[in-house]
Amino acid sequence: MAAPLITLRFRDTTPKIDTIKEHIRVIEEKGSVLWGWWKKKSEPKYESITSKIEGKNDFSINIIDTSTNRMFIAKCKRTFSQNSASLDKSIIPGYYRIIIENIFFWFELTEIKETDYSENISKLIHENTILDTSNDKNFHYTEEKQRNTIKSTEKKDKSTIIFMSDLHFGKDYGFPVQDDESPLNKTKKTLSECIKHDLSSLDLDNDVAAVIVMGDFVTAGDWNAKTQTHIIKEFEQLSKILGIQKSDIISLPGNHDIVRYKEEDLQANISLEEILIKIQSSSDHEESYKLFSSTLSGHSISHPLNFKKTIPLKEVNIEIAILNSCGISSTIMTEYGFVGKPGLNILDEIRDMPIYRPSYKFLALHHHLLPVNQLETPQPGKQGKGVSMVLDAGHILQKAQESGIQIALHGHQHQPHVAQYHSLSTNGDNPVLVVANGSTGVKQERRPENERNTYCIFNLKERGAKLWIRELRTDGRSSNSVFEKNLNILPAT
């Protein structure tokens, strides 16, 4: 079989459906099968690739599942675009005939065989759905990695970054919004005002270089225009107070930001399979967050949700891996987190990157890497809701330690907590400090009993680092430290 012209990435997205087996079954019955390319809306149209393959006959393609380390090579009889009149529905696997309008491009395959898995192709394709593999000599992974990197701003004369999470703007937000003229705003201060006052008490209000937000901007996917306006105005005010730019706000999604199904759909007796296929084929569950994030920070909607960024401070750099832990697609248990290969590849990049300046290495995601509760209890009837751990936490922590990650931060369960992970069997001597941020903005009714709103402050210098987890009072009065300690870490050199 000739060298494959392209590689397509897929995942098993429907419960009890094995994508490859279903397509092979149609080939065995009909002689060929139509494979639909589920291009993400945020991806470009890849004209250079589609012009090369449209109408082409008898060539081979790779099909890769990076989540399970499987790869297949397939014989392609012909190709055609989305609206072709020659579409034969009888050779489309039955489980996704309902969403053929979402298919961007079709490949008619006559054979699918498993082949050796390629880590290089896995890293090159990253979170994209297609890759031109017509000339292996043109592949230089070191160049491709730039797509997974947010470019740094110039070095700042500042030494502090702050982390926050679980804001829950909308019905669950606990602070007044900007321009709120209600009587409530006379007794409560906005989030920006409270953060400014607290940083001033530590003499750090003019020392913040970046703000990292670890998900759950909203509640239950409520991305209505009013809520988004409230968020954007709050961060515009915070940026003005701190003297930072739009690009200095770094965000990642939480389980409330990327919602794969609506309760009303399940109550309307729409099958879970139909819901998941429609959403996954169009990637609608990611689009609202991506559009919001581009407005918030200026990041392109085509940029991956897993990426790394360099934050240049006065004396040191921060190399931070931003991981999307909302990767589950074939289950309604959205409270569970899953990062998978795209995020692990970012940790490999952090490990392999050259160090030109003393640098601290951070990791941030939404779901928990270590427990914060003494007992995790799934809620009866909620199909797994209530358990906070990311499913591949062990793999992430092991890779983090191997990659030299010193600090890992997350949000999710509205409880601040500090712990340490150190596997003696891992090729890495440094332990990983795991910091649960708690909730920065959710109202009291949504927080565990007696828990306060909190956020994290890191002051990072060449001679050492300090961490505060600080209480945020809605009345703007002086806050207390939930945790305050000089950390036993130094930057990598």
Side-chain angles (χ1 to χ4, degrees):
M1 193 178 293
L5 290 181
I6 62 165
T7 296
L8 294 172
R9 186 174 68 87
F10 79 99
R11 285 198 303 172
D12 291 333
T13 60
T14 310
K16 301 179 182 179
I17 294 291
D18 184 303
T19 302
I20 295 297
K21 288 182 179 179
E22 286 296 307
H23 284 78
I24 290 176
R25 184 181 61 79
V26 176
I27 291 175
E28 291 172 346
E29 291 181 1
K30 303 285 187 176
S32 64
V33 66
L34 286 179
W35 181 285
W37 171 18
W38 297 10
K39 185 184 79 67
K40 298 178 181 179
K41 287 183 178 179
S42 57
E43 286 184 291
K45 292 185 178 180
Y46 299 106
E47 285 93 346
S48 62
I49 298 178
T50 55
S51 62
K52 182 186 298 185
I53 60 177
E54 186 165 14
K56 188 174 180 62
N57 301 323
D58 300 323
F59 63 99
S60 61
I61 66 173
N62 285 324
I63 303 171
I64 190 169
D65 180 0
T66 58
S67 64
T68 60
N69 287 7
R70 294 184 298 160
M71 195 160 86
F72 304 84
I73 189 167
K75 288 182 179 179
C76 184
K77 179 179 179 181
R78 62 182 182 126
T79 66
F80 49 92
S81 58
Q82 181 182 37
N83 299 317
S84 173
S86 62
L87 183 65
D88 181 358
K89 294 182 181 179
S90 71
I91 57 172
I92 300 173
Y95 72 96
Y96 69 93
R97 289 175 191 168
I98 59 174
I99 48 86
I100 58 175
E101 69 278 3
N102 291 342
I103 302 302
F104 183 70
F105 209 83
W106 293 98
F107 299 81
E108 186 171 353
L109 308 180
T110 57
E111 182 179 281
I112 301 173
K113 288 186 176 181
E114 191 159 9
T115 188
D116 293 337
Y117 185 77
S118 169
E119 281 289 348
N120 190 50
I121 288 178
S122 168
K123 291 177 178 179
L124 283 166
I125 202 166
H126 195 51
E127 295 180 36
N128 300 320
T129 57
I130 195 169
L131 178 70
D132 185 346
T133 50
S134 58
N135 187 351
D136 290 341
K137 294 181 181 179
N138 290 333
F139 290 142
H140 300 287
Y141 179 47
T142 54
E143 296 176 5
E144 185 73 16
K145 285 191 290 188
Q146 300 305 315
R147 297 185 185 180
N148 311 329
T149 304
I150 297 289
K151 291 184 178 180
S152 308
T153 55
E154 293 183 4
K155 186 179 76 171
K156 297 178 181 295
D157 193 29
K158 297 181 175 182
S159 300
T160 301
I161 59 170
I162 63 176
F163 286 79
M164 58 180 73
S165 68
D166 299 85
L167 297 165
H168 287 282
F169 274 87
K171 66 178 183 177
D172 292 330
Y173 188 55
F175 291 80
V177 296
Q178 294 291 327
D179 305 324
D180 186 356
E181 299 296 334
S182 68
L184 178 68
N185 205 20
K186 296 179 180 179
T187 58
K188 289 186 175 184
K189 304 297 183 183
T190 65
L191 180 65
S192 297
E193 290 174 314
C194 294
I195 289 176
K196 165 69 174 177
H197 179 80
D198 187 56
L199 289 169
S200 296
S201 71
L202 301 173
D203 197 25
L204 294 173
D205 50 319
N206 295 314
D207 196 47
V208 176
V211 176
I212 293 91
V213 190
M214 300 178 293
D216 279 5
F217 285 90
V218 298
T219 294
D222 180 19
W223 288 111
N224 68 74
K226 183 179 179 181
T227 299
Q228 290 194 56
T229 298
H230 288 159
I231 304 172
I232 297 301
K233 283 189 174 183
E234 194 62 57
F235 277 93
E236 286 176 347
Q237 182 62 22
L238 183 62
S239 298
K240 183 178 179 181
I241 287 172
L242 299 178
I244 62 174
Q245 303 298 314
K246 192 176 185 178
S247 58
D248 297 320
I249 300 170
I250 306 165
S251 68
L252 57 92
N255 58 294
H256 279 271
D257 301 325
I258 295 183
V259 178
R260 294 167 180 78
Y261 70 98
K262 302 283 187 182
E263 291 289 347
E264 53 264 32
D265 289 337
L266 294 176
Q267 293 169 3
N269 293 322
I270 301 175
S271 71
L272 174 61
E273 287 79 4
E274 184 176 347
I275 293 169
L276 291 172
I277 292 167
K278 284 187 174 181
I279 291 174
Q280 190 68 21
S281 65
S282 63
S283 64
D284 282 344
H285 59 298
E286 295 180 351
E287 296 307 307
S288 293
Y289 168 77
K290 282 190 170 185
L291 288 168
F292 159 77
S293 181
S294 68
T295 303
L296 176 74
S297 60
H299 298 168
S300 169
I301 61 171
S302 63
H303 200 274
L305 291 177
N306 294 279
F307 61 92
K308 70 180 188 297
K309 179 166 183 172
T310 301
I311 305 173
L313 301 182
K314 184 177 181 179
E315 298 181 11
V316 297
N317 283 352
I318 299 168
E319 304 296 347
I320 185 165
I322 301 295
L323 306 186
N324 171 30
S325 60
C326 303
I328 288 182
S329 60
S330 61
T331 171
I332 66 171
M333 295 185 293
T334 58
E335 292 294 309
Y336 285 98
F338 181 74
V339 170
K341 186 59 71 70
L344 296 172
N345 287 343
I346 296 298
L347 291 174
D348 282 339
E349 293 182 19
I350 292 281
R351 178 196 65 206
D352 297 337
M353 67 187 304
I355 301 295
Y356 298 111
R357 189 168 183 249
S359 300
Y360 289 96
K361 293 186 177 184
F362 277 63
L363 174 162
L365 74 171
H366 180 71
H367 290 81
H368 290 220
L369 289 169
L370 294 174
V372 300
N373 296 318
Q374 291 184 336
L375 180 66
E376 294 268 15
T377 308
Q379 300 173 26
K382 294 293 185 178
Q383 304 205 41
K385 288 188 178 181
V387 178
S388 62
M389 294 289 290
V390 65
L391 293 178
D392 49 349
H395 203 165
I396 297 165
L397 285 166
Q398 177 182 335
K399 183 75 74 171
Q401 189 177 338
E402 291 174 353
S403 303
I405 297 294
Q406 296 157 302
I407 309 287
L409 293 104
H410 63 80
H412 191 46
Q413 278 218 331
H414 306 176
Q415 288 181 260
H417 191 260
V418 179
Q420 194 172 71
Y421 172 86
H422 190 182
S423 172
L424 298 178
S425 62
T426 299
N427 294 325
D429 293 330
N430 60 298
V432 181
L433 188 70
V434 180
V435 182
N437 178 76
S439 169
T440 305
V442 79
K443 64 185 181 182
Q444 184 176 356
E445 293 85 348
R446 284 289 312 274
R447 300 196 300 268
E449 187 177 1
N450 299 322
E451 286 294 351
R452 296 157 280 183
N453 289 118
T454 50
Y455 75 117
C456 292
I457 307 170
F458 285 87
N459 185 256
L460 301 153
K461 297 181 179 179
E462 191 168 2
R463 65 181 180 272
K466 185 172 182 177
L467 163 64
W468 295 262
I469 301 179
R470 295 285 289 178
E471 171 191 24
L472 278 178
R473 294 173 57 108
T474 55
D475 59 10
R477 294 181 181 176
S478 296
S479 303
N480 297 312
S481 288
V482 177
F483 180 92
E484 180 178 342
K485 190 173 183 180
N486 290 313
L487 304 177
N488 187 29
I489 59 173
L490 289 171
T493 58

